[in-house]
Amino acid sequence: MAERKIFAGPRVRRVRLGLGLTQTAMAEALGISPSYLNLIERNQRPLTVQLLLKLASVYKVDLDALQGEGGGLASQLREVFADPLLAGEIPGDQEIIEVAEAAPNAALGMMKLYRAYREQAARLSDLSDLLAREGHETSIAGTRLPIDEVRETLERRPNFFARIEDAAEAFAARLGTGDELPGALKAWLKSEHGIVVRTLPVHAMPNLRRRYDRHSMRLFLSERLSPFDRTRELAMEAALLALGQEIAAELDELSFSTNEARRIGRFELARYAAHALMMPYGAFLAAAHRARYDLEVLRSRFEVSFEQAANRLTTLVRTDAGGIPFFLLELDHAGNVIRRAGAQGFPQARFGGLCPKLGIHSAFAQPGQILADRVEMPDGSAFLTLSRTLEGPQAGFGERIRRTAVLLGCDLSSAGDTVYGEALSGATGTVLAGTACRLCERQGCLSRAEPPVTRPLGLDEMVTGLSAFDFQ
């Protein structure tokens, strides 16, 4: 019968060091040579069944401890290396298991540091938000990924790029698109750059929205995309070619710190330019005034999606021709923030956008419907908000559809200039919201998910409030 071989060198070394023995002393007690024990501890020789029994009888070692694989600690280390900051550092689980087995105390120390880092980052973020809400500038920030830098930069500034707007209007006038923008863009790409556009079925391009083949000069679009999204992909490709200088100039002014952030920023500006081509500034502003900002009318007039029209409304802040200063927030089912933008910068300090009372969260229960609300914040500021779900690329049978929700908002003082203000005039009640639970001090809120960081918790055992997190 073949013996079972077990490689457990680091655990044998821990046993020896824990007993304060030299390799020579332990080898003599086990009846093997010091050099053989050295090979065992370096995992170059296995522990046989006879050696396991010898260790158990001489040193009272738990055999299960020698044969285990540190699974609990290894799973905790996987959590650490799953963090985006460390993703890709370790290619597989084997090295994590080796760390957990060879240096369990060091692994535990690593876990404590990681948890402290996460807790400290959360506290600093809360404090930064609190200071921002009170009008104090702060440089407190955690380690940022390039996408975080791009989002924060774009969220803080007005969602308007003058060079791109002027160039897009001029380019749209040269195209003379009328009501046939997709056809005009395809013709321009073909005649000016020799690029042919093709729509491919799902089986030919299962994981991509678009792909440009430089060798064959063909632009492939996925049939999963709606007609509106296909038009945007066409417009983005044309914008990168026709408005490249203007996009580069605006990108330089954003002063991103890394090449990766610059690459992501270029994509966002190309997306902005695509909207400017699909909905030229002057024509869209005039239509918005005539329709009193009715999104359904605007999307039909310009043959765009609800999301595209809503995004465009946040850009109408040209100095000599401005519209209502709207801001926009997009979330997914889990509450992850996908996009923030605003005509004057997203009003993070005043509005926040993470209150569970907001209509953007209720929109998921009523897909495709526009929910108009009057929202009042703790400081007395009030907003008109419009919330609606958005459908992602077409899903195949058996695939779960990607659905997000968008909130378009403006100061309540501008509500009367929109068709939605009339609906609010007959509405009963106001949504009493907050920026976020950890920064909101509303008493008795049934929707509270976390206690505020600004107030001590109420721990009176004789009194229980409506909220799960009472505070003093």
Side-chain angles (χ1 to χ4, degrees):
M1 179 179 174
E3 291 184 347
R4 179 187 174 191
K5 296 182 179 181
I6 299 172
F7 290 89
R11 292 189 287 276
V12 173
R13 186 187 302 115
R14 287 201 302 275
V15 170
R16 178 174 63 79
L17 294 177
L19 295 171
L21 299 174
T22 64
Q23 284 186 340
T24 302
M26 176 174 269
E28 183 178 349
L30 295 176
I32 59 177
S33 67
S35 59
Y36 187 69
L37 178 59
N38 182 266
L39 292 173
I40 288 174
E41 290 190 357
R42 288 188 291 152
N43 268 350
Q44 295 182 6
R45 293 291 184 276
L47 270 176
T48 62
V49 174
Q50 287 80 2
L51 274 176
L52 282 171
L53 294 174
K54 194 82 170 184
L55 280 166
S57 64
V58 174
Y59 297 114
K60 311 302 181 187
V61 174
D62 183 358
L63 294 182
D64 290 336
L66 286 174
Q67 298 180 74
E69 295 189 0
L73 187 54
S75 65
Q76 294 179 64
L77 282 177
R78 288 189 192 98
E79 175 190 347
V80 174
F81 287 98
D83 190 282
L85 192 64
L86 299 174
E89 293 293 333
I90 294 183
D93 284 351
Q94 186 56 39
E95 194 170 340
I96 291 176
I97 293 172
E98 290 174 2
V99 171
E101 292 183 350
N105 292 331
L108 284 171
M110 191 184 306
M111 283 299 306
K112 289 180 180 179
L113 279 174
Y114 174 72
R115 287 169 179 161
Y117 150 73
R118 291 295 301 271
E119 177 66 22
Q120 192 73 359
R123 289 179 178 274
L124 288 174
S125 177
D126 290 337
L127 180 57
S128 179
D129 289 343
L130 177 61
L131 291 174
R133 186 182 65 164
E134 296 179 351
H136 301 292
E137 291 294 329
T138 174
S139 61
I140 295 174
T143 302
R144 295 186 304 171
L145 297 173
I147 184 63
D148 297 324
E149 179 184 359
V150 173
R151 285 178 174 174
E152 290 172 15
T153 300
L154 296 179
E155 288 167 12
R156 287 195 300 265
R157 69 180 307 282
N159 190 24
F160 180 77
F161 298 91
R163 295 185 187 90
I164 294 176
E165 292 287 358
D166 294 341
E169 278 194 298
F171 181 47
R174 292 199 305 273
L175 284 176
T177 60
D179 294 329
E180 293 295 331
L181 179 61
L185 288 172
K186 289 179 182 179
W188 183 85
L189 289 170
K190 174 65 175 171
S191 62
E192 297 295 325
H193 297 276
I195 298 173
V196 177
V197 180
R198 292 285 183 269
T199 300
L200 292 186
V202 174
H203 67 82
M205 200 164 65
N207 301 318
L208 300 175
R209 296 171 62 92
R210 64 184 287 273
R211 182 173 70 85
Y212 175 55
D213 188 334
R214 296 179 184 273
H215 300 290
S216 64
M217 300 294 287
R218 288 184 294 178
L219 175 64
F220 299 113
L221 303 179
S222 172
E223 69 176 4
R224 285 179 181 265
L225 299 179
S226 69
F228 313 118
D229 287 340
R230 289 182 207 170
T231 301
R232 180 163 59 191
E233 295 296 335
L234 283 172
M236 285 180 66
E237 191 68 32
L240 288 170
L241 293 170
L243 313 180
Q245 291 184 349
E246 290 77 13
I247 290 174
E250 296 287 3
L251 192 58
D252 289 339
E253 290 193 359
L254 294 176
S255 302
F256 292 122
S257 62
T258 65
N259 289 333
E260 180 67 9
R262 185 178 174 86
R263 185 188 68 80
I264 298 170
R266 184 170 180 266
F267 174 86
E268 291 296 330
L269 290 182
R271 189 172 181 274
Y272 179 98
H275 288 162
L277 279 177
M278 297 165 69
M279 298 163 277
Y281 192 100
F284 189 80
L285 178 63
H289 283 318
R290 287 194 301 270
R292 301 190 66 210
Y293 297 90
D294 189 325
L295 280 158
E296 296 294 351
V297 172
L298 290 173
R299 64 178 294 199
S300 177
R301 166 67 181 82
F302 289 89
E303 297 183 353
V304 296
S305 68
F306 183 92
E307 176 258 338
Q308 291 164 357
N311 267 288
R312 192 60 171 139
L313 283 179
T314 69
T315 67
L316 302 181
V317 287
R318 186 176 275 169
T319 304
D320 56 345
I324 292 176
F326 282 99
F327 58 88
L328 179 142
L329 170 70
E330 186 177 354
L331 302 175
D332 66 10
H333 274 96
N336 298 307
V337 177
I338 298 171
R339 181 179 297 111
R340 292 190 184 100
Q344 300 170 342
F346 185 79
Q348 181 73 23
R350 295 174 60 214
F351 184 76
L354 296 181
C355 178
K357 292 181 177 180
L358 294 175
I360 190 170
H361 304 289
S362 303
F364 288 105
Q366 303 175 65
Q369 296 186 37
I370 298 177
L371 307 182
D373 292 310
R374 181 195 295 116
V375 176
E376 183 179 315
M377 308 305 288
D379 64 358
S381 58
F383 300 90
L384 160 69
T385 67
L386 309 172
S387 303
R388 184 187 184 277
T389 54
L390 307 175
E391 303 297 333
Q394 180 63 46
F397 179 75
E399 292 182 294
R400 187 156 296 186
I401 191 171
R402 180 183 187 271
R403 178 174 288 149
T404 61
V406 66
L407 178 147
L408 188 70
C410 67
D411 196 273
L412 191 63
S413 60
S414 300
D417 296 328
T418 73
V419 295
Y420 308 103
E422 299 172 359
L424 287 181
S425 64
T428 57
T430 297
V431 178
L432 301 178
T435 52
C437 288
R438 300 195 78 174
L439 301 175
C440 178
E441 296 183 359
R442 287 195 186 278
Q443 295 278 1
C445 177
L446 297 177
S447 301
R448 181 173 290 282
E450 295 179 293
V453 296
T454 55
R455 303 284 291 274
L457 283 176
L459 301 176
D460 189 343
E461 296 182 356
M462 305 302 293
V463 179
T464 301
L466 294 173
S467 169
F469 302 97
D470 297 328
F471 55 89
Q472 299 175 7

